[in-house]
Every structure is written in structure tokens, then in C-alpha cells.
Amino acid sequence: MRFLLYFSVAIACTAGLFACTAVGPATNIFGTDTPHEQYERSLKRADLDRTALGSDWLAAAGRALQDSLKITLPYRETGYFPANRPIAIGYTLNATRGDRLLIRVQTQGQQSARVFIDVFEVDSKNRVTRAISAQSDTAVLTWDVRRTRAHLIRIQPELLRSVGYTISITREPVLAFPVQGRNSSQISSYFGVPRDGGRRRHEGIDIFAPKETPAIASVGGTIAEVGTNELGGNVVFLNDDAHNQRLYYAHLDRWNVTTGQRVSPGDTIGFVGNTGNARTTGPHLHFGIYADGEGALDPLPFVRLGRGPARQPLLTANRLGDSARVSAKQATIRLAPTADSPGLRQLPRAAALTIVGGTADWLRVELPDGLTGYLTPASIETVQKPIRRVALTTPTDLRAAADVRAAIMQTLPVGTAVDVLATAGGLQLVRIKPGLLGWVAL
């Protein structure tokens, strides 16, 4: 079965649709609506935004931006969206200018479903400061990070669709390594180190290699200048128009390009040498990056080795959606799937929760009040075996959710035997008979 995945970098809040106090406005530089925004508009045209289901969908979109989960790359996990309750999931990660993020999503379900993937760039005050949009029917979204800051990835399916998914997020460098047969582990001198007794700083990286080793184009572009100067010797400037910057190749033994020539990634720019002020050192390439209006940038993030594929062991699909409870005396639900992550809340024994995603090592769980975070599998257990069995001594309302305001499914008479499975605040999840569960105040 084919599933269309809609990838977009979208505006965080659309006026009049949902409240979003901590995230500020953004600009859509493409001037057209993103798929998520188009779907929002279709809900409004059908007056579905005035229904409970439609308003819950919009609210979930905003809530995912406020309550996103923290991850580090590379990362992958599985998750599940139930059809009967609108949910959106937000993942926050730190990204560096020069990173290329690869976001892969696979979905599973009995019906085809649109899944909106929104990627936001967030500043230090938690405001959306930039937005771009892309749409594809493939399972990979590639995004070249333009500024070093947090990025937020939001996943949300359309209404009334049960969707299981696996998301994988990895990083690789924006540029190809500029010396053939070498990689970033062989850089010998880094950006910013003192030069000439501290009178200047090193505005690039040095990559040592045998003389005549090809220095290659790290990106497709146009050769802006071929020439010589006192420090760099034989040099080449390559315009990287895709990222609004210039690449600088210095100390070349000789050139292999001419001014105005178009090159593709991997084309030979010249050959490693030791011209200019490198005459007393071994052959190496000085590689620099200069951005318009900013000057020299650290080239390392642009060419460093990627971190490889995400290797987290995946959670088996049959655990998604399971009801569970805390089995330990106390457990900490965490912001990120690591033991040193900030704790969101302390949970007592028998606290109710639902497994909504995660990995085999860290489960992403949701509490009855909507709080989402990570717990270790060892700290929880299924609710199949009851904690205790009690007989009701007074007529008791059986409610549909862990809220005293939730709808009453029925009133249980005195003497009804119930199995207590889990707790949430002053309410207990009980089983009356196989297949009939609800919440009561005991």
C-alpha cells in the first residue's frame, strides 16, 4: 500500500486556529501554503474547526510545538497515532550550520493516510524565526541547516486515520570533503588557531596529503577566481550559490580549472602543494569558507564525517498502544530517551500510562493528562494482571477517561466486582469483565 508523506517546514501558528504563546510568528519564504496549512484551511472551509475533533486536531498541532521531546542524532523510533484521538508529536534536536539533516519516515496502516512532517527552526527565545516548505511523495526529507540552533520536527496525520510510523533522523555534512581519499579525521590544523604570533587567526582547516593529490570541488558551482596571493600561493575561489558562500582552496601546486568554469561535486579543482607561506611545511590544502556579509566560517561542520545510520533497537509494533502501569516504587518520566535527561514528573507505583512509541530501550509513554515522555521498559508492566479485586460498596460511576468530568458510561451497582489495574490521581482504571474497562473513584 502506498502512503503519501507530506514534508514541510511550516509556520508554527496560524492566526485564529490555535493558541501558541511560546512560539512566535514565522515567514513562509515561498509565499505559498504548506500542506499542513492547506489541510487546516480545508477544515475551516468544512467548518470542522468548530467541531470537537477538528479543534482537537488544531490544538494538538500547537501543543506539539510546546511539549516537544528532546533527541540527539542519529536517532530513530517507532510511534502510533490512533484514529479516535488527534495527536501530534514534536522532536527537538540541536543542529549546526553545515549539517544536512536526513529525515526518513515509513508509515503503516490499513488505510492510506497523509502524514504531515513539519520542520521548524527555533531561536534562543523559542520563537520560530525561519520557515521553508517542501513536499514529496518519497520517504526522505533533506534539509541543509542554515543557522546553528534548535530545530523541531512535528509529525501529524490527517483526521480519522490510524497510523503507525518509524522515523529516522541522521546527519551528514553539506559539502563533500575537498581532498580526494581523505576525510575529516585527517585534518591537522583547525579554524581559529593563532597565526603569526597571535596577530591573526587561522581562517580555515589544513588537510595534509601527498603532493599532487587532487583537491576536489566540494559542491557544484562556478569558479569565481583562479590566481595567486602571498599567503595562499596558488588559490581558487569556488562560488557555492546554494549556500550563499565561497569556498577557498589554497597552497595548490597547480590549478586544474579556469575562472568562470562550471564544476560539479568531485571535479578536480587543482592539486595539493605547498605554495605561498606553506613553502616550509609539508604539502597540504588550506580549505576555507567565506559567507557574504559574514566573513570566514569554520569549515569543519560543513565537511566532518557523518554519524552514520541510526541504530536504536526498534520497539515491536504490537506494543504500540498498550495500556501499562508503573511497576517500580517510583519512576521518572523524562524529556529525552537518556538516563541523564531532565525529569518531567515523578510517577508512583501503579500510575497509568499508554505506550505510544519509542525504542526497545526507552518507551515513549503518554499519561492520562496528556503528558508525554520516556521511561525504561524495566520500570513498567502491563495491566493484564490486576493489582487487586474489590467489591463496590456504593453505586459508582464508570467513566470513559481519567477525569471526573469525563462521560459516564454506566453506573455500577453495589456489589459489583472490579479488577483495579492502574491509578491516575484519585481515579482507578478498572476492568468489569473482559473487554470492558473504565475509570472509577474508589
Side-chain angles (χ1 to χ4, degrees):
M1 183 179 295
R2 184 181 183 186
F3 297 91
L4 294 182
L5 301 184
Y6 286 74
F7 299 100
S8 66
V9 179
I11 296 178
C13 303
T14 302
L17 291 180
F18 50 83
C20 190
T21 56
V23 179
T27 301
N28 187 341
I29 65 173
F30 286 86
T32 58
D33 290 341
T34 66
H36 195 282
E37 291 170 324
Q38 292 170 11
Y39 191 72
E40 290 176 2
R41 185 167 287 106
S42 71
L43 295 182
K44 292 192 69 176
R45 284 197 301 265
D47 285 334
L48 290 175
D49 61 318
R50 300 176 185 274
T51 67
L53 196 62
S55 62
D56 285 350
W57 191 90
L58 295 170
R63 199 160 48 245
L65 302 180
Q66 307 300 311
D67 301 327
S68 59
L69 301 160
K70 181 75 173 178
I71 61 172
T72 56
L73 300 185
Y75 186 74
R76 67 175 181 171
E77 73 170 32
T78 56
Y80 175 72
F81 296 108
N84 61 349
R85 188 164 62 89
I87 297 176
I89 300 297
Y91 301 95
T92 299
L93 56 95
N94 292 324
T96 302
R97 182 176 180 176
D99 287 343
R100 172 170 291 155
L101 302 181
L102 302 177
I103 304 167
R104 296 175 172 87
V105 176
Q106 294 176 302
T107 61
Q108 307 86 33
Q110 293 181 332
Q111 297 174 299
S112 60
R114 286 182 293 177
V115 176
F116 305 99
I117 309 297
D118 300 307
V119 182
F120 301 88
E121 186 184 89
V122 186
D123 70 10
S124 60
K125 295 183 179 179
N126 204 30
R127 298 173 303 191
V128 175
T129 57
R130 181 182 177 90
I132 68 171
S133 178
Q135 180 176 324
S136 175
D137 61 357
T138 67
V140 181
L141 169 64
T142 301
W143 166 238
D144 290 355
V145 175
R146 304 301 176 92
R147 291 185 284 191
T148 299
R149 55 182 47 178
H151 283 63
L152 188 149
I153 301 168
R154 182 182 65 190
I155 306 176
Q156 186 174 28
E158 61 182 328
L159 284 170
L160 301 175
R161 288 291 186 268
S162 295
V163 180
Y165 71 89
T166 299
I167 183 171
S168 174
I169 310 169
T170 58
R171 177 193 64 78
E172 64 181 29
V174 165
L175 303 178
F177 202 73
V179 177
Q180 190 177 85
R182 295 293 193 269
N183 60 49
S184 58
S185 65
Q186 293 151 328
I187 296 172
S188 298
S189 182
Y190 291 89
F191 182 84
V193 299
R195 287 287 191 269
D196 295 339
R199 291 189 296 274
R200 64 182 181 90
R201 64 172 187 164
H202 192 216
E203 293 189 345
I205 54 176
D206 289 342
I207 306 150
F208 282 79
K211 192 173 182 178
E212 297 291 318
T213 300
I216 62 176
S218 292
V219 69
T222 304
I223 301 300
E225 181 182 339
V226 175
T228 60
N229 63 47
E230 183 178 352
L231 293 178
N234 296 332
V235 302
V236 171
F237 283 93
L238 168 59
N239 280 344
D240 175 8
D241 295 330
H243 303 100
N244 199 31
Q245 59 194 18
R246 272 188 172 193
L247 311 185
Y248 178 56
Y249 296 75
H251 306 316
L252 297 172
D253 182 71
R254 54 193 171 91
W255 310 285
N256 195 54
V257 290
T258 58
T259 300
Q261 179 180 338
R262 289 287 302 175
V263 295
S264 299
D267 288 350
T268 299
I269 296 292
F271 300 90
V272 171
N274 60 344
T275 57
N277 68 350
R279 289 183 297 273
T280 59
T281 69
H284 67 276
L285 174 71
H286 170 94
F287 181 70
I289 300 177
Y290 294 85
D292 292 347
E294 298 180 68
L297 304 177
D298 183 0
L300 182 60
F302 291 82
V303 298
R304 64 185 171 182
L305 287 169
R307 296 179 179 176
R311 302 184 185 279
Q312 286 83 1
L314 293 177
L315 179 67
T316 55
N318 61 4
R319 298 201 67 184
L320 294 173
D322 278 358
S323 295
R325 66 186 175 224
V326 173
S327 58
K329 181 178 180 180
Q330 185 172 271
T332 303
I333 185 169
R334 299 191 178 277
L335 177 65
T338 59
D340 58 355
S341 170
L344 299 175
R345 186 183 298 173
Q346 294 290 329
L347 304 178
R349 188 191 301 274
L353 51 92
T354 303
I355 300 171
V356 293
T359 68
D361 296 330
W362 285 93
L363 302 176
R364 179 160 50 80
V365 302
E366 184 179 24
L367 304 187
D369 64 1
L371 179 67
T372 302
Y374 291 93
L375 286 172
T376 60
S379 63
I380 71 171
E381 62 186 4
T382 68
V383 296
Q384 293 179 350
K385 184 178 180 180
I387 300 170
R388 62 184 182 274
R389 169 169 282 201
V390 299
L392 300 178
T393 58
T394 61
T396 304
D397 293 333
L398 183 69
R399 298 185 181 274
D403 190 324
V404 294
R405 299 165 298 180
I408 298 173
M409 297 189 291
Q410 66 182 79
T411 299
L412 305 175
V414 173
T416 302
V418 299
D419 291 331
V420 179
L421 306 178
T423 65
L427 297 176
Q428 290 79 39
L429 176 65
V430 298
R431 181 171 57 220
I432 312 305
K433 58 183 179 179
L436 179 57
L437 282 76
W439 292 86
V440 300
L442 294 178

